[in-house]
């Protein structure tokens, strides 16, 4: 459980800006702030539920239940406020009170991380408990003190309630299913385009690079050829991937992001064995470049085994054989 708090009662005087001091809020302001906080929390939980409804329906039900809890708190706060202060609730928000910290807007992210969302939910509940505990100690009105104290106790149990909802909706099988789905999305959106780019950059640039190397025995000219081949291949692969599909039906995510991943990895794959030719000595540069090629091909084989469930031996055979053929072709043409 994180120890971050929405407010700090120390060091407030040293901060600038025309903001309200938490310690100086009257009871009407405290209740108004509490209502706004519950509205925010319920809205965030409902947003999570809506965003996760299609891909993670069980987790979405969990957050819907948590939103319902926050709505219940808000109703009780409004009822007490109405009985004491009437119908007009003061407009006081988190950002109006000095010391409150802003939450990262995870709900605005295109790709939601379930673990980060759950961590933020825990933080929200811990912060709400501390807020109510502090406010209850300052309250002079018995009804306000009782309600705020009750809400502090309920917020301290809310994590347990969320756990109970999790036990009801998020069984071990469901959690495994959601983790598997996240892994598949990660593979589709990042690993596949990145691996394709790395393979293309590492293999397709071998022939022009080593052809230039053995044709000229000039390390600088070889470096320029490799640099041009790597960047050109990266640009070509980036556009090809970005224009391949919009991801709506395949679930492969943003075409621009996939294109960027593929383009960068293609360029890096080509640059790996190109950079050694910045060394003036031809023999040293070529030996190092060949060593880099071997590392690149083994890395590609490992990624295929790790994320694509390909047998490591078969992955090595496929990658090494293809890479060696292109490598030999480059040397053959360069030596002609």
């Amino acid at each position: 459980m994180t120890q971050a708090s929405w407010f700090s009662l120390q060091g407030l005087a040293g901060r600038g800006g025309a903001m309200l001091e938490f310690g100086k809020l009257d009871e009407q302001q405290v209740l108004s702030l509490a209502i706004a906080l519950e509205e925010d929390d319920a809205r965030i939980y409902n947003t999570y539920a809506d965003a996760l409804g299609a891909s993670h329906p069980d987790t979405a039900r969990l957050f819907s239940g948590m939103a319902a809890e926050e709505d219940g708190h808000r109703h009780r706060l409004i009822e007490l406020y109405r009985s004491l202060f009437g119908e007009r609730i003061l407009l006081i928000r988190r950002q109006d009170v000095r010391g409150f910290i802003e939450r990262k807007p995870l709900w605005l992210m295109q790709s939601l991380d379930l673990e980060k969302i759950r961590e933020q939910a825990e933080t929200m509940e811990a912060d709400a408990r501390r807020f109510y505990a502090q406010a209850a100690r300052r309250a002079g009105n018995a009804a306000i003190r009782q309600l705020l104290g009750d809400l502090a106790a309920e917020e301290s149990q809310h994590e347990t309630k969320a756990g109970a909802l999790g036990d009801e909706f998020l069984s071990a099988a469901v959690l495994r299913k959601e983790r598997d789905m996240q892994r598949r999305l990660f593979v589709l959106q990042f690993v596949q385009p990145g691996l394709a780019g790395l393979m293309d950059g590492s293999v397709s640039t071998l022939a022009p690079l080593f052809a230039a190397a053995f044709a000229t025995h000039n390390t600088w000219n070889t470096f320029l050829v490799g640099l041009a081949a790597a960047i050109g291949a990266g640009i070509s692969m980036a556009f090809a991937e970005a224009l391949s599909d919009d991801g709506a039906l395949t679930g492969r995510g943003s075409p621009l992001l996939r294109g960027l991943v593929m383009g960068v990895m293609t360029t890096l794959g080509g640059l790996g064995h190109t950079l050694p030719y910045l060394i003036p000595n031809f023999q040293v540069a070529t030996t190092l470049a060949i060593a880099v090629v071997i590392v690149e091909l083994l890395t590609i084989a490992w990624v295929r085994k790790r994320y694509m469930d390909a047998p490591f031996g078969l992955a090595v055979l496929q990658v090494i054989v293809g890479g060696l053929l292109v490598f030999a072709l480059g040397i053959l043409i360069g030596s002609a």
Side-chain angles (χ1 to χ4, degrees):
M1 180 72 68
T2 178
Q3 296 300 313
S5 177
W6 278 351
F7 59 90
S8 171
L9 298 181
Q10 298 178 351
L12 295 181
R15 299 184 184 181
M19 302 180 69
L20 298 171
E21 300 282 353
F22 175 76
K24 296 180 180 179
L25 296 181
D26 61 28
E27 292 174 337
Q28 184 179 9
Q29 291 172 326
V30 167
L31 285 182
S32 298
L33 178 59
I35 292 169
L37 295 179
E38 294 291 355
E39 288 174 346
D40 286 346
D41 287 355
R43 186 181 302 112
I44 291 172
Y45 289 146
N46 278 322
T47 301
Y48 286 160
D50 292 340
L52 297 171
S55 58
H56 302 84
D58 297 284
T59 300
R61 292 172 63 193
L62 166 64
F63 284 113
S64 293
M66 295 177 70
E69 290 272 346
E70 305 300 344
D71 281 335
H73 294 172
R74 176 173 56 87
H75 291 161
R76 290 158 64 187
L77 286 164
I78 291 177
E79 288 176 3
L80 179 58
Y81 185 98
R82 180 182 289 116
S83 67
L84 295 174
F85 305 111
E87 296 293 332
R88 294 194 59 176
I89 298 175
L90 303 178
L91 181 58
I92 302 179
R93 300 159 299 178
R94 177 185 300 106
Q95 57 267 35
D96 298 325
V97 180
R98 190 190 306 278
F100 278 73
I101 64 172
E102 295 184 5
R103 301 195 193 99
K104 294 181 180 179
L106 295 179
W107 53 93
L108 297 180
M109 294 172 58
Q110 185 175 19
S111 178
L112 293 175
D113 186 299
L114 288 179
E115 291 305 316
K116 289 183 179 179
I117 290 176
R118 288 175 180 137
E119 288 176 5
Q120 177 154 355
E122 291 181 351
T123 301
M124 290 165 60
E125 297 308 320
D127 289 344
R129 173 181 56 80
R130 283 188 286 271
F131 166 75
Y132 284 126
Q134 291 278 3
R137 282 196 289 268
R138 296 181 55 254
N141 181 285
I144 295 178
R145 191 183 188 98
Q146 178 179 337
L147 177 57
L148 295 180
D150 289 345
L151 292 179
E154 290 176 20
E155 293 291 355
S156 67
Q157 299 172 1
H158 205 172
E159 184 179 0
T160 303
K161 294 179 181 178
L165 287 172
D167 292 338
E168 181 181 352
F169 298 135
L170 304 179
S171 64
V174 169
L175 290 175
R176 283 196 301 271
K177 177 182 176 182
E178 291 187 352
R179 281 193 291 267
D180 289 343
M181 182 175 295
Q182 279 193 299
R183 183 178 183 275
R184 287 195 297 271
L185 289 175
F186 176 73
V187 170
L188 284 173
Q189 296 175 3
F190 295 98
V191 176
Q192 280 189 354
L195 179 61
L198 185 61
M199 290 179 63
D200 184 85
S202 298
V203 175
S204 67
T205 57
L206 289 177
L209 179 75
F210 286 101
F214 283 87
T216 66
H217 284 75
N218 184 297
T219 57
W220 179 247
N221 288 340
T222 301
F223 171 76
L224 293 179
V225 170
L227 181 64
I231 295 177
I235 294 174
S236 175
M237 293 293 286
F239 275 97
E241 177 62 24
L243 297 175
S244 61
D245 71 80
D246 61 6
L249 296 178
T250 61
R252 299 179 66 210
S254 167
L256 294 179
L257 180 59
R258 294 196 326 270
L260 178 63
V261 170
M262 180 170 285
V264 169
M265 294 305 295
T266 301
T267 302
L268 291 178
L271 286 178
H273 45 258
T274 297
L275 291 176
Y277 282 99
L278 288 172
I279 300 172
N281 186 289
F282 178 78
Q283 294 297 333
V284 173
T286 301
T287 301
L288 182 57
I290 292 174
V292 171
V293 169
I294 294 174
V295 172
E296 289 173 346
L297 296 180
L298 289 175
T299 300
I300 292 171
W302 179 85
V303 173
R304 284 172 57 84
K305 175 185 180 300
R306 174 68 175 81
Y307 292 101
M308 311 302 292
D309 298 325
F312 185 70
L314 179 60
V316 170
L317 181 64
Q318 292 173 334
V319 173
I320 295 295
V321 170
L324 290 178
L325 288 175
V326 177
F327 173 71
L329 179 63
I331 296 178
L332 182 64
I333 293 176
S335 302

